[in-house]
Amino acid sequence: MRAKLTPAFVQTARAEDGAERTVYWDQSLPGFGLVVSASGHRSFVVQYRANGRSRRMSIDGVLGLIAARKQARVLLGEVAKDHDPLAERRARISLAEDTFERIAERYFASREAKQLRTADDRRAVLARLVYPKLGQMPISTIRRSDLARLLDHIADKNGMVMADRTLAYIGRIMNWHASRSDDFRSPIVRGMARTTNKERARDRVLTDDELRAIWQAAEAAQGPFGSFVRFLLLTGARRGEAAEMKWDEMKDGVWTLPASRNKVKLELARPLSPGASAILAKLPRVGKSGFVFTTGSDRPIGAFAKFRRELSKTSSTSGWTLHDLRRTARSLMSRAGVSYDIAERCLGHVMPGVRGVYDRHKYLEEMRHAYEMLAALIQRIIDPQQNVVPLHDARLPAADRA
């Protein structure tokens, strides 16, 4: 329906009876119109053809008639220059919705990400190191050079291992997005890592002095982290296994790690030493989630890097990680005389070859003894005075020996 659009007409126009909306086309500017809905809502539109297709593009209804007509002339001028304003607007909206940060949040809400034990850690790394630089960039515009500059910055400030870890997190998100997009291709290629597998492999084992200092600092620490560190040393458990441990996994001194939380996807029963059980007995049961190591919320203990830095400072021991405690525990088992097979079972490693296939014995008593040997050795390291045995001078009469 054509009409002479005036401010007064815009104010009084109504949709035709029975129609959801009515378009009143301006007599003075072809292609420009007023849309009035049955509810009385008013907006402006521009109708044009581009690339052989008819397009109808809305203009903000908050604008008055004069401003809307002016904007319509600008849009129609773009059409005359072979532009498609509606397609370009949709492309801009798509880019805004497909920023790296938004894609990452969709990934973390996916079924795949919900199965990750490290999802929270990955989120924290991205929020701290990636989003400030790349978060608001449309993922399709992120170039290899953008990633290279970001990784150089992270390597300089946080180390090459963290740069590679961040690259892995970014790569997983980009690959996930690529598997769902017809057009996106990840800019990550081989050779972008800052270190090799061999260089990333750590061989750090705490010395006796370092173990003693960290243990004593952990005993004096406030909150659950100190107990967590000592528990890792006494069990050789992986960080995530112990962090997400729940009270209902403990029964009669045996901690049963469910297959769903085990890296090798097998249930693992750990008969704890009296020392490890004593650490758990002193922890308060807080929250409704049932987590053993928690700060009182419904989430397991986290912020490992922060707490480890504090413990490093109070113990005057640097350069160690929580995974080094697992390696230290394994090395101490060998030092204490625990057999290779039993020590590997204590750490939850799958036995190779036919032993792993045919030997279904649980070895609970053997593992219990191994954990007790580990705890006894750690106690001797913590308190070396226990190794001192009084010596008697055989040359002196028994009455004169002190």
Side-chain angles (χ1 to χ4, degrees):
M1 180 180 297
R2 298 184 64 82
K4 182 178 181 180
L5 298 187
T6 64
F9 181 86
V10 170
Q11 291 293 325
T12 59
R14 297 286 184 273
E16 292 183 326
D17 291 341
E20 291 186 6
R21 63 182 60 83
T22 300
V23 181
Y24 296 95
W25 296 105
D26 190 15
Q27 294 177 349
S28 63
L29 180 61
F32 174 61
L34 168 70
V35 180
V36 183
S37 69
S39 64
H41 177 74
R42 293 167 175 76
S43 61
F44 298 101
V45 294
V46 171
Q47 185 90 21
Y48 65 91
R49 292 187 67 83
N51 300 319
R53 298 179 62 184
S54 179
R55 299 282 204 182
R56 181 175 293 184
M57 184 175 179
S58 63
I59 298 176
D60 191 349
V62 175
L63 295 175
L65 173 64
I66 295 175
R69 185 182 280 128
K70 181 178 180 180
Q71 184 173 339
R73 287 196 177 96
V74 172
L75 293 173
L76 293 170
E78 292 295 312
V79 173
K81 298 176 183 178
D82 294 327
H83 288 276
D84 186 345
L86 180 60
E88 292 169 3
R89 174 193 283 182
R90 287 175 176 172
R92 288 193 298 272
I93 293 173
S94 176
L95 288 176
E97 291 180 346
D98 287 347
T99 63
F100 179 78
E101 184 172 353
R102 290 197 177 190
I103 295 295
E105 287 309 310
R106 289 180 215 159
Y107 167 73
F108 285 119
S110 69
R111 185 184 302 107
E112 173 187 322
K114 288 179 180 178
Q115 296 175 351
L116 291 173
R117 293 181 292 110
T118 59
D120 288 342
D121 289 342
R122 294 184 184 214
R123 271 198 179 100
V125 169
L126 294 175
R128 182 165 55 93
L129 301 178
V130 180
Y131 293 163
K133 299 287 185 181
L134 305 180
Q136 299 310 308
M137 289 181 64
I139 195 170
S140 60
T141 67
I142 296 176
R143 300 172 298 172
R144 199 166 297 149
S145 57
D146 297 322
L147 292 174
R149 283 192 294 272
L150 174 69
L151 296 175
D152 287 341
H153 177 75
I154 295 173
D156 291 341
K157 299 293 184 181
N158 306 92
M160 291 190 294
V161 173
M162 177 56 76
D164 283 353
R165 186 178 303 165
T166 305
L167 175 63
Y169 295 165
I170 294 173
R172 184 56 239 152
I173 292 169
M174 287 187 165
N175 289 340
W176 178 84
H177 180 57
S179 70
R180 288 157 176 78
S181 170
D182 295 326
D183 305 313
F184 177 73
R185 295 293 180 271
S186 173
I188 298 175
V189 295
R190 290 175 63 89
M192 294 186 71
R194 294 319 195 244
T195 60
T196 64
N197 289 336
K198 183 177 180 180
E199 290 170 333
R200 286 193 294 273
R202 290 178 60 88
D203 57 5
R204 180 86 152 83
V205 175
L206 299 181
T207 66
D208 287 2
D209 288 340
E210 289 174 332
L211 190 154
R212 186 182 306 112
I214 290 173
W215 185 281
Q216 292 172 350
E219 278 189 314
Q222 299 293 320
F225 190 72
S227 299
F228 180 68
V229 166
R230 290 181 291 143
F231 186 78
L232 291 180
L233 278 168
L234 288 170
T235 60
R238 294 181 178 90
R239 185 186 77 178
E241 295 172 354
E244 297 176 13
M245 178 183 182
K246 292 191 173 183
W247 289 111
D248 59 12
E249 296 172 3
M250 281 292 304
K251 184 178 181 181
D252 299 330
V254 177
W255 168 31
T256 301
L257 177 70
S260 61
R261 292 205 300 105
N262 193 348
K263 183 178 180 179
V264 299
K265 303 305 178 185
L266 295 173
E267 185 178 274
L268 173 63
R270 283 188 174 98
L272 301 182
S273 65
S277 297
I279 289 174
L280 299 183
K282 294 180 181 179
L283 291 172
R285 301 199 180 200
V286 295
K288 299 179 181 179
S289 60
F291 289 114
V292 175
F293 297 100
T294 179
T295 55
S297 65
D298 289 333
R299 302 178 66 84
I301 190 174
F304 300 110
K306 172 189 173 183
F307 289 122
R308 181 177 53 79
R309 284 194 298 268
E310 293 174 357
L311 204 60
S312 296
K313 183 177 180 180
T314 56
S315 66
S316 300
T317 305
S318 60
W320 62 282
T321 68
L322 290 177
H323 194 73
D324 293 338
L325 304 182
R326 176 173 165 86
R327 189 180 301 106
T328 299
R330 176 62 181 85
S331 301
L332 290 175
M333 284 186 183
S334 292
R335 179 173 158 187
V338 177
S339 70
Y340 172 85
D341 280 11
I342 300 304
E344 289 296 292
R345 292 178 188 278
C346 286
L347 264 67
H349 289 162
V350 176
M351 300 306 298
V354 295
R355 285 178 298 172
V357 175
Y358 291 103
D359 189 352
R360 296 303 181 183
H361 181 55
K362 297 298 185 181
Y363 290 92
L364 287 181
E365 289 307 313
E366 293 86 347
M367 291 170 64
R368 188 189 309 278
H369 183 56
Y371 284 127
E372 290 173 354
M373 294 171 68
L374 170 62
L377 178 54
I378 290 177
Q379 184 59 44
R380 290 196 297 272
I381 293 172
I382 297 168
D383 187 7
Q385 294 181 358
Q386 290 189 357
N387 295 328
V388 178
V389 178
L391 298 178
H392 300 297
D393 191 339
R395 296 172 300 176
L396 296 176
D400 295 331
R401 295 175 191 166

